[in-house]
Amino acid sequence: MSKVDVKFRINDLKNFRLPCGLFSSWCNSGVISLLRPLLLDVVPTIQQTAALALGRLAYFNNDLAEAVVKEGILPQLVCSLSEQNRFYKKAAAFVLRAVGKHSPQLAQAVVECGALEALVICLEDFDPGVKEGAAWALGYIAQHNSELSQAVVDAGAVPLLVLCIQEPEIALKRIAASTLSDISKHSPELAQTVVDAGAIAYLAQMILNPDAKLKCQVLSALSQIAKHSVDLAELVVEAEIFPVVLTCLKDSDEYVKKNGATLIREIAKHSPELSQFIVNAGGVAAVIDCIGSCKGSVRLPGIMMLGYVAAHSENLSMAVIVSKGIPPLCACLLEEHEDHIKAAAAWALGQIGRHTPEHAHAVAITNVLATLLSMYMDIRSSEDLQLKTKRALKNILQKCTYLPALEPLLHDAPPNILKHIVGQFSKVLPHDSKARRLFVTTGGLKKVQEIKAEPGSLLQEYINTINNCYPEEIVRYYSPGYSEMLLERVENYQPVL
């Protein structure tokens, strides 16, 4: 392939998206080694277009990115970042981003060639496009792990990224916010570095920005900061994001909804005080409305937020109940197809119902216990869904005294669930005569007699307690084999003539 051919191929690549097979054939034909000298061409346009071609090739897949590294192209690009014009800088930053995005190993190769310092300098460039390209590359490096993220911090990127989110260009704001999010997500220490640079105040101001993509990145960055600790979550709350953030839950963009709910979830999970603050701000009602108005994965953070709030205390769980949070969670169990969403809904219901009989009653009257049991016993359910439904059932059953919801489960529940159900009957029946009568007429007592429990087991003790609530002849009447015994007595009876 001649140099002229390469130039024509570069122009093709600049203007079109080429098929996968052609990219691979270019790599196999050694085009990357041919592109390298073009980076030093006397014609600036050739230099820039060669860099763009390398970036697109490297962006395509891991093997092509590794080929760019092996050809020793990265040091050449880094050296040129401080010398070339803005068009070349943007193309060079694109190559660094394209290589660094694939894996921690390739991102480390970008770091080792001295790219971070050059990219940080580009964050101070006059041209917004150069800043955007540099911020994007830094974000792709920082996203992989805490070590790479720390390297970006050590290079001095964070204060300049905070300045970038204050620039008027929306695209630059988006990328800078995204990069701050990628830096913050790995550890409390990295998140604290972003906080110390004053990022929270500027991010909070942009929650109401009309640009949906920017709002998504801003909400994500605040979530990544808030998730690590109570102190960081409180700093986010102190930026007066409530009740402003609740408007995001009604946004027409589903990603804004999801990220808004995620931010509220990350704050709520830390402490009862933060959850109570969210309740007082109307956050629980807003999240419940959001769950009811959307489908799929958008629901997930809201579902988990309700579970976190309910888990903290009886009062907070009652706040979820009073806000009518149980029906939407039940709907998620029935409507959603993904097991991880169903598992989250089951977990949340378990957190609501585990506190007192009143809480358990609020869950049980929706008839969701049968649904939970069915999912637990369904062999098609994932292991996680089976685990979550089992725990939810256990949490609710141990507090539930609403017998009409429990009795249908007697007929289908496996032994490990059955003992909790029978245990609740053994607690209620001795003190409720109406319930004892109803338990007989609905067939509950008969079903209990059919249960085969190990002698001396906890289940057998529960059964004995129930049986002691009734006259001996009633218990015998409903015991298995009693009718055959009566028939045998009839056969053996000799009438008096």
Side-chain angles (χ1 to χ4, degrees), residues 118-132:
L119 290 169
V120 168
I121 292 172
C122 287
L123 290 177
E124 299 182 273
D125 197 275
F126 179 77
D127 184 83
V130 174
K131 292 180 181 179
E132 182 184 337

Side-chain angles (χ1 to χ4, degrees), residues 237-497:
V237 171
E238 288 170 6
E240 299 182 355
I241 64 168
F242 289 97
V244 176
V245 71
L246 301 182
T247 62
C248 297
L249 302 178
K250 299 180 180 180
D251 199 276
S252 58
D253 187 285
E254 289 196 340
Y255 292 102
V256 173
K257 282 185 179 180
K258 185 176 181 179
N259 287 8
T262 300
L263 173 55
I264 299 170
R265 178 195 71 192
E266 297 299 346
I267 295 170
K269 73 180 185 181
H270 288 295
S271 70
E273 292 76 19
L274 285 170
S275 286
Q276 187 64 60
F277 179 86
I278 292 171
V279 170
N280 295 343
V284 167
V287 168
I288 291 169
D289 289 342
C290 179
I291 293 173
S293 66
C294 55
K295 303 290 182 183
S297 63
V298 182
R299 283 173 155 176
L300 185 58
I303 292 170
M304 295 181 67
M305 178 268 183
L306 295 180
Y308 281 128
V309 171
H312 285 305
S313 70
E314 295 179 12
N315 290 338
L316 288 168
S317 181
M318 188 55 66
V320 176
I321 294 171
V322 171
S323 298
K324 300 181 180 179
I326 294 176
L329 292 174
C330 297
C332 291
L333 283 175
L334 297 173
E335 297 171 1
E336 294 298 332
H337 302 291
E338 298 291 335
D339 277 6
H340 69 281
I341 301 176
K342 294 179 181 179
W347 170 79
L349 287 166
Q351 298 307 309
I352 294 170
R354 71 182 181 88
H355 295 285
T356 69
E358 186 179 3
H359 292 81
H361 180 270
V363 176
I365 59 174
T366 63
N367 296 319
V368 74
L369 296 180
T371 302
L372 291 171
L373 181 62
S374 174
M375 289 181 178
Y376 169 62
M377 298 181 65
D378 192 338
I379 59 173
R380 296 170 296 178
S381 296
S382 67
E383 184 178 345
D384 182 58
L385 178 56
Q386 289 179 330
L387 179 63
K388 294 294 194 303
T389 49
K390 176 186 174 182
R391 288 179 177 174
L393 280 168
K394 182 178 178 181
N395 287 340
I396 298 165
L397 290 174
Q398 288 179 334
K399 295 293 181 180
C400 185
T401 57
Y402 181 61
L403 300 187
L406 298 180
E407 192 165 324
L409 307 184
L410 282 171
H411 301 277
D412 301 314
N416 61 330
I417 300 296
L418 189 62
K419 66 180 180 181
H420 299 295
I421 301 170
V422 177
Q424 292 307 106
F425 279 104
S426 71
K427 294 175 185 177
V428 176
L429 293 178
H431 311 289
D432 191 333
S433 59
K434 291 183 179 179
R436 290 197 295 271
R437 179 183 178 86
L438 189 63
F439 193 58
V440 173
T441 58
T442 56
L445 182 63
K446 182 176 184 296
K447 177 61 184 175
V448 167
Q449 306 313 310
E450 296 171 356
I451 296 173
K452 296 179 180 179
E454 293 289 332
S457 65
L458 189 61
L459 178 57
Q460 185 61 59
E461 290 181 17
Y462 292 150
I463 293 173
N464 292 340
T465 302
I466 293 173
N467 289 344
N468 290 337
C469 295
Y470 296 94
E472 185 178 349
E473 60 270 23
I474 296 294
V475 175
R476 285 205 309 269
Y477 180 79
Y478 287 105
S479 297
Y482 184 71
S483 58
E484 287 78 5
M485 185 184 70
L486 288 179
L487 288 173
E488 186 179 346
R489 289 182 61 184
V490 169
E491 291 175 0
N492 296 331
Y493 181 73
Q494 295 297 324
V496 178
L497 300 175

Side-chain angles (χ1 to χ4, degrees), residues 10-297:
I10 290 171
N11 287 328
D12 289 340
L13 186 56
K14 183 178 180 181
N15 294 308
F16 301 98
R17 292 185 178 275
L18 300 179
C20 298
L22 186 54
F23 273 113
S24 299
S25 67
W26 278 27
C27 183
N28 295 333
S29 65
V31 70
I32 290 178
S33 61
L34 291 172
L35 284 169
R36 180 178 179 180
L38 296 181
L39 294 172
L40 301 175
D41 198 280
V42 294
V43 180
T45 303
I46 296 295
Q47 296 177 21
Q48 297 153 20
T49 312
L52 178 63
L54 284 168
R56 291 193 176 178
L57 288 167
Y59 200 87
F60 177 65
N61 69 22
N62 188 80
D63 293 338
L64 293 171
E66 287 182 353
V68 171
V69 174
K70 290 176 181 177
E71 286 292 330
I73 291 172
L74 296 185
Q76 187 174 330
L77 288 169
V78 171
C79 291
S80 303
L81 270 175
S82 60
E83 303 169 359
Q84 298 286 355
N85 62 32
R86 59 193 176 97
F87 301 106
Y88 184 89
K89 288 180 180 179
K90 285 189 278 189
F94 174 53
V95 178
L96 297 173
R97 166 165 65 97
V99 172
K101 81 159 194 167
H102 291 288
S103 68
Q105 293 75 23
L106 285 170
Q108 185 63 42
V110 175
V111 172
E112 289 173 355
C113 73
L116 294 183
E117 291 75 14
L119 290 169
V120 168
I121 292 172
C122 287
L123 290 177
E124 299 182 273
D125 197 275
F126 179 77
D127 184 83
V130 174
K131 292 180 181 179
E132 182 184 337
W136 212 337
L138 290 168
Y140 271 50
I141 294 168
Q143 69 178 347
H144 293 293
N145 57 47
S146 58
E147 290 77 15
L148 289 166
S149 187
Q150 187 63 55
V152 172
V153 171
D154 293 341
V158 173
L160 295 173
L161 289 168
V162 174
L163 289 176
C164 287
I165 62 175
Q166 301 172 56
E167 295 285 347
E169 291 79 14
I170 292 295
L172 178 56
K173 287 177 179 286
R174 291 176 190 161
I175 303 304
S178 174
T179 303
L180 289 171
S181 177
D182 287 328
I183 292 171
S184 301
K185 70 182 181 181
H186 299 291
S187 71
E189 293 76 19
L190 288 165
Q192 188 64 54
T193 301
V194 174
V195 172
D196 292 342
I200 290 179
Y202 297 109
L203 291 168
Q205 292 171 8
M206 292 186 286
I207 290 177
L208 288 179
N209 192 287
D211 184 79
K213 291 181 179 179
L214 176 57
K215 281 194 286 190
C216 282
Q217 299 300 343
V218 165
L219 293 167
S220 174
L222 290 171
S223 299
Q224 298 295 356
I225 293 170
K227 75 178 185 180
H228 294 291
S229 68
V230 174
D231 292 338
L232 288 170
E234 288 177 348
L235 289 174
V236 173
V237 171
E238 288 170 6
E240 299 182 355
I241 64 168
F242 289 97
V244 176
V245 71
L246 301 182
T247 62
C248 297
L249 302 178
K250 299 180 180 180
D251 199 276
S252 58
D253 187 285
E254 289 196 340
Y255 292 102
V256 173
K257 282 185 179 180
K258 185 176 181 179
N259 287 8
T262 300
L263 173 55
I264 299 170
R265 178 195 71 192
E266 297 299 346
I267 295 170
K269 73 180 185 181
H270 288 295
S271 70
E273 292 76 19
L274 285 170
S275 286
Q276 187 64 60
F277 179 86
I278 292 171
V279 170
N280 295 343
V284 167
V287 168
I288 291 169
D289 289 342
C290 179
I291 293 173
S293 66
C294 55
K295 303 290 182 183
S297 63

